[in-house]
Amino acid sequence: MTLPQTVSLVLLILVLIGAVWKKINIGILSLCATFVLLIVSGASADEVYKSFPADLVVLIIGVSLMFSHLELSGAIRWIINGVFTLVGPRHGLIPWVGFLLGGFLSTVGIFSTGPVAILVPIIAFVSVTYPGTYLINALGVIMGAIGLGMSPLNPTGATLQHLASKAGVSYSGWGLWLVAVVVTAVALAALQVLFRNLAKRGKALVEPRASQVEEGAGSSSESINTAYAVASIIGLVLFVVCVIAFGFDVGLTAMAVTAVLQLIFHPEQKEMLGRVPWGATLLIGGLLTYLGLLESVGTIDSIQNSMSGVASGAILLLVLAYLTAVLCNVESSALGVLSLTMPLVFGFFTDSPHIFWIVAAVAVPSGLMVMNPIHIAGTLVVANAQQDKQNDVFRMFLATSLGMTIVVPGILAVIPLALGL
């Protein structure tokens, strides 16, 4: 390896350590590393900025602003209240309602932590009516919201396709989303059976915290601007039709819908901007810019050449699948981890006729690790649990996440391995 390539790897390791240990946004650290590597390599700043993912940044901001209209108008709460009213006393359906609602919001484009933040407090409130169901109800929300983020309309799915396009790789984005739907649904069904059996033995009986219940009750009575809510839903439908049926750019289409609703209804702009996940935007912008510089100095190619010379394709697949799953347990952003590991996947298996299943084996399990209490989603569920059971929930979710880490990547890797990579 050349000096710039060696320095780039050392910096990448330091970025990961800083992100995990000090909980610093990986985008900030990546841009700092970009500055250092720029000096060492002698590359030009203009060349570096060509790697900045402007399309993904516009996508995240545009879709977030569009969904802020749905939230501020009351449209989302309108839909959620209607769905839970239809469910009635059938408590076995509550996790699946959360799964569908969270999955729908992620599928049509909102960054996955958004549905979790919206729905978990509501699920905590709803679960009061169904004692002993809070944990599996909350898991339904977070598994649907983050597992289904493989949609091409979601920043996670869009980032994967962006990385694949740069590597000259093509696969079905909606096909990957469908695999994620099936895998996540099967995992949720298995956990529902497990938690039901634990409840029968007097375990996993955790209720929502009283303060969160009151909070949820208060939030459910927020006023709904009917005209604004209906217009927001129409805007969402038009957005989906334009993107899927006509192939319009996701970010710019969302911005257009946002602008029209803003002009007509004039919601508070500060509230709208406060709903944009600026941390995620910074993360993806900084990390992909640094990865672009890594490619420019030849680090990615050097890693691929070194690893391909000492390991078979089967071993590489298993290493990348389990490495991604393990990192998703310790790093708070699955998107950040996928941005690091997927370029290696695309580089190693560019010519494989089964690239779709290889991508699925590495990427899809990442959506199942977010129940880890280290993550925002898992932490939110723990925080909403009753005070004296929070340590129990922490241990339970940690064990469940680690169990998923051991099982799911291996099962999904069987398919491309059986097909011969």
Side-chain angles (χ1 to χ4, degrees):
M1 277 192 173
T2 64
L3 176 62
Q5 291 170 357
T6 303
V7 170
S8 70
L9 284 180
V10 171
L11 289 171
L12 182 58
I13 293 170
L14 292 175
V15 165
L16 289 173
I17 292 173
V20 173
W21 181 35
K22 292 296 186 180
K23 302 296 182 185
I24 301 173
N25 186 293
I26 200 170
I28 296 174
L29 296 174
S30 295
L31 289 173
C32 176
T34 300
F35 172 73
V36 176
L37 185 56
L38 191 66
I39 295 173
V40 174
S41 65
S44 69
D46 290 341
E47 190 67 27
V48 170
Y49 283 122
K50 288 180 182 178
S51 299
F52 182 77
D55 55 339
L56 295 178
V57 170
V58 173
L59 182 151
I60 294 172
I61 297 174
V63 172
S64 300
L65 289 174
M66 182 179 68
F67 270 92
S68 69
H69 285 297
L70 285 145
E71 194 173 350
L72 291 171
S73 67
I76 289 180
R77 188 164 299 283
W78 196 7
I79 295 169
I80 291 170
N81 289 343
V83 170
F84 282 123
T85 300
L86 288 174
V87 171
R90 296 179 287 276
H91 66 85
L93 295 178
I94 299 295
W96 296 98
V97 170
F99 177 83
L100 292 174
L101 286 171
F104 167 74
L105 293 175
S106 281
T107 296
V108 296
I110 188 170
F111 193 70
S112 302
T113 52
V116 172
I118 294 169
L119 290 169
V120 167
I122 295 173
I123 278 288
F125 173 60
V126 170
S127 297
V128 176
T129 313
Y130 311 95
T133 65
Y134 168 62
L135 293 185
I136 191 62
N137 292 345
L139 279 176
V141 167
I142 64 177
M143 291 174 74
I146 300 181
L148 274 59
M150 294 296 151
S151 158
L153 304 182
N154 188 280
T156 300
T159 299
L160 295 186
Q161 293 211 301
H162 173 87
L163 293 170
S165 178
K166 285 185 68 176
V169 173
S170 177
Y171 66 89
S172 170
W174 285 110
L176 185 66
W177 171 83
L178 184 59
V179 171
V181 171
V182 174
V183 170
T184 310
V186 169
L188 178 59
L191 288 176
Q192 190 170 20
V193 173
L194 174 64
F195 276 64
R196 186 180 296 146
N197 290 333
L198 288 173
K200 287 179 181 178
R201 293 182 348 217
K203 300 177 181 179
L205 292 175
V206 178
E207 303 303 334
R209 201 172 58 177
S211 62
Q212 296 297 334
V213 171
E214 292 168 8
E215 213 174 275
S219 63
S220 65
S221 61
E222 288 177 1
S223 61
I224 295 175
N225 183 328
T226 304
Y228 186 15
V230 170
S232 298
I233 293 172
I234 291 172
L236 175 62
V237 172
L238 289 174
F239 163 76
V240 173
V241 170
C242 288
V243 170
I244 295 178
F246 299 106
F248 289 4
D249 180 81
V250 177
L252 294 178
T253 306
M255 284 291 194
V257 172
T258 297
V260 171
L261 291 172
Q262 183 77 11
L263 287 168
I264 296 173
F265 295 100
H266 307 292
E268 178 56 48
Q269 189 165 283
K270 185 177 180 180
E271 284 194 69
M272 289 182 61
L273 293 174
R275 285 168 166 78
V276 175
W278 296 111
T281 306
L282 178 58
L283 180 152
I284 199 63
L287 185 54
L288 291 189
T289 300
Y290 184 66
L291 291 178
L293 184 55
L294 255 65
E295 290 180 10
S296 297
V297 300
T299 305
I300 302 295
D301 290 337
S302 182
I303 293 173
Q304 290 168 357
N305 292 335
S306 300
M307 291 185 68
S308 60
V310 297
S312 67
I315 293 175
L316 283 173
L317 173 59
L318 289 171
V319 167
L320 288 169
Y322 277 102
L323 176 64
T324 301
V326 169
L327 287 175
C328 282
N329 273 283
V330 297
E331 163 56 34
S332 60
S333 171
L335 177 56
V337 173
L338 289 172
S339 297
L340 289 172
T341 59
M342 291 311 293
L344 295 175
V345 172
F346 296 133
F348 287 129
F349 301 103
T350 302
D351 300 323
S352 172
H354 307 299
I355 185 65
F356 171 81
W357 289 110
I358 292 170
V359 172
V362 178
V364 169
S366 66
L368 299 177
M369 309 309 157
V370 293
M371 66 188 69
N372 191 311
I374 293 174
H375 286 264
I376 294 173
T379 300
L380 192 58
V381 177
V382 173
N384 276 272
Q386 61 193 77
Q387 194 78 32
D388 60 333
K389 293 290 184 73
Q390 288 183 355
N391 288 335
D392 293 339
V393 176
F394 185 96
R395 287 191 293 270
M396 199 179 307
F397 273 24
L398 183 60
T400 304
S401 177
L402 294 177
M404 291 282 186
T405 302
I406 294 169
V407 174
V408 180
I411 291 176
L412 282 174
V414 167
I415 300 175
L417 291 176
L419 293 171
L421 291 182

